[in-house]
Amino acid sequence: MQDSEDEQGHSDDNVFVTLVAGVIQTPRVPRPLGHNAYQTGIYRTLGRVLRNVTSEKLDSTMSDFVRFSHFAHVRMGTQLYMEFVNVCTNTILHLVCARRTGAHIVRRLMEIISGYAQNQADHLALAWRRFTPSYSPVGGMTPVMLVAHNRQFDALKILLQYGMLERERRPSYVIISLLFDSPCLEEEEEEERNLCCDSLMRELKACMALCFRVLIHVSIAEIEMQIIYGQQPLIAEWRDHIPHNRSRDPCELSHLCRAVIRRRLLVLGRLPNGINALFLPRCLQSYLNLEY
C-alpha cells in the first residue's frame, strides 16, 4: 500500500510519467510503428530539461528516472516499458555527454549511476549503453567513444577514472576513433567547429595521451588497416604519438600494476572512490586515478 501511495504521490510531477502520457499515449501511437514513432518527441522533451541542466536539476531528473523505472513496467507492459526506457536512457546519455562545457555534469551523472554499473542488465546501468536512437549521428557509440570523438578531455578523464574504458569491448578502438574521426558536436555549439586546426590537434593528442594511462596495448596493424581502406589519419605523424611500450615494446611494470589494481577495484565496484581507501602514498593514489 505504501509503495502505491509513493507511486501516486510522485506521478504528477515525474517528468517521465508526463512523457508517457504526453508523447506516447496522447495521441495513441500505432504499435506497428514501435519506438521510432515517439523517440523524437522524447528527445525534444528531455532536451528542454537537460540542455543546460545544473547538478541539482540532474539530481531531480535522475531521481524521477529511478522512481519511474521501479514501477512503470506494471502500467506500461514489458515491451513498451523496455522500448521507452531504452530511448530515455539514450537521450539522457547523449544530452549529458555531448556538451563540451558539461564535465561537472558528466561527473555528477557517474556519481548517480555508478552503483548500478555492476549489473549490465539493470536499466539504470546507463554507462554500459550504446547510442541507438535514429535521431542521433552517433549510433553504436558508447559514452566514452562519444566524448573521445568530440575531444572532451575533462569529460573523458572522468569516464576513464570510473573505469569506463576498461569496460569497453574493444578498448583500443578509442585510439582509432581519435585518429580518424572528426569531432561531431551539438548544433548549438557550432562555434566549436571553427576552432583552429592547431587547437584541435592539441586536444586530440591530449585525449590520446590520457587513454594511454589506461590502455596496455594498441595494435599498429589495426591502424594501418584503416589507412589501407582509404581513411586518412588526422595526425600525419601518428606513430610518434603512440608510446613504444603500448605497441611494440613491453609495457612498463608500473603501468601493469596500475592496470591490475584498477581492474580489481572495477570488479568490486569501488572505482574510483576505493582508491583513496588504499594504504598507499598520495602520489600513488593519484597515479592509480589517472592524474598522470
Side-chain angles (χ1 to χ4, degrees), residues 35-83:
H35 64 275
N36 290 325
Y38 55 76
Q39 64 179 357
T40 302
I42 293 175
Y43 180 74
R44 290 173 178 171
T45 302
L46 288 181
R48 289 193 292 269
V49 176
L50 297 173
R51 188 76 64 182
N52 298 302
V53 70
T54 62
S55 296
E56 293 75 14
K57 183 61 177 178
L58 182 65
D59 286 349
S60 174
T61 302
M62 291 304 299
S63 293
D64 279 357
F65 188 59
V66 170
R67 290 196 299 268
F68 173 85
S69 68
H70 287 162
F71 69 75
H73 63 282
V74 176
R75 292 184 174 184
M76 299 176 65
T78 302
Q79 181 177 352
L80 179 58
Y81 169 78
M82 293 292 289
E83 291 176 356

Side-chain angles (χ1 to χ4, degrees), residues 106-267:
V106 174
R107 181 179 296 281
R108 184 60 193 140
L109 180 66
M110 292 304 302
E111 290 172 352
I112 294 171
I113 67 176
S114 60
Y116 303 99
Q118 291 303 102
N119 181 9
Q120 294 188 51
D122 196 310
H123 300 308
L124 299 174
L126 275 69
W128 286 96
R129 301 293 185 251
R130 292 177 180 269
F131 298 113
T132 56
S134 60
Y135 55 74
S136 172
V138 295
M141 284 189 175
T142 59
V144 167
M145 295 298 295
L146 177 63
V147 298
H149 184 72
N150 288 344
R151 319 293 190 256
Q152 298 164 252
F153 179 87
D154 292 334
L156 179 62
K157 183 177 179 180
I158 292 167
L159 292 180
L160 265 55
Q161 287 174 330
Y162 273 87
M164 299 320 299
L165 185 54
E166 286 100 327
R167 295 184 188 274
E168 290 281 312
R169 295 176 183 174
R170 296 179 61 192
S172 63
Y173 192 76
V174 69
I175 298 298
I176 294 177
S177 178
L178 282 166
L179 281 175
F180 293 97
D181 298 333
S182 299
C184 179
L185 304 176
E186 287 281 81
E187 293 180 0
E188 74 272 11
E189 295 170 335
E190 185 68 27
E191 294 181 1
E192 297 292 347
R193 299 173 186 268
N194 300 321
L195 288 172
C196 68
C197 182
D198 288 344
S199 177
L200 286 175
M201 289 300 103
R202 284 195 298 271
E203 291 179 352
L204 188 159
K205 294 171 184 177
C207 288
M208 285 184 62
L210 181 59
C211 290
F212 285 125
R213 298 178 191 177
V214 176
L215 297 172
I216 294 176
H217 177 75
V218 173
S219 173
I220 297 296
E222 289 186 355
I223 298 175
E224 292 175 335
M225 189 61 65
Q226 301 297 319
I227 299 174
I228 292 174
Y229 286 151
Q231 294 199 56
Q232 293 298 319
L234 299 175
I235 304 177
E237 69 285 3
W238 59 270
R239 291 178 182 273
D240 296 340
H241 297 280
I242 298 180
H244 291 170
N245 53 15
R246 298 294 186 275
S247 55
R248 65 190 188 198
D249 294 338
C251 188
E252 68 272 30
L253 182 58
S254 59
H255 181 61
L256 290 176
C257 291
R258 171 165 62 180
V260 171
I261 295 172
R262 284 180 54 83
R263 172 64 65 178
R264 183 57 182 167
L265 290 174
L266 183 63
V267 170

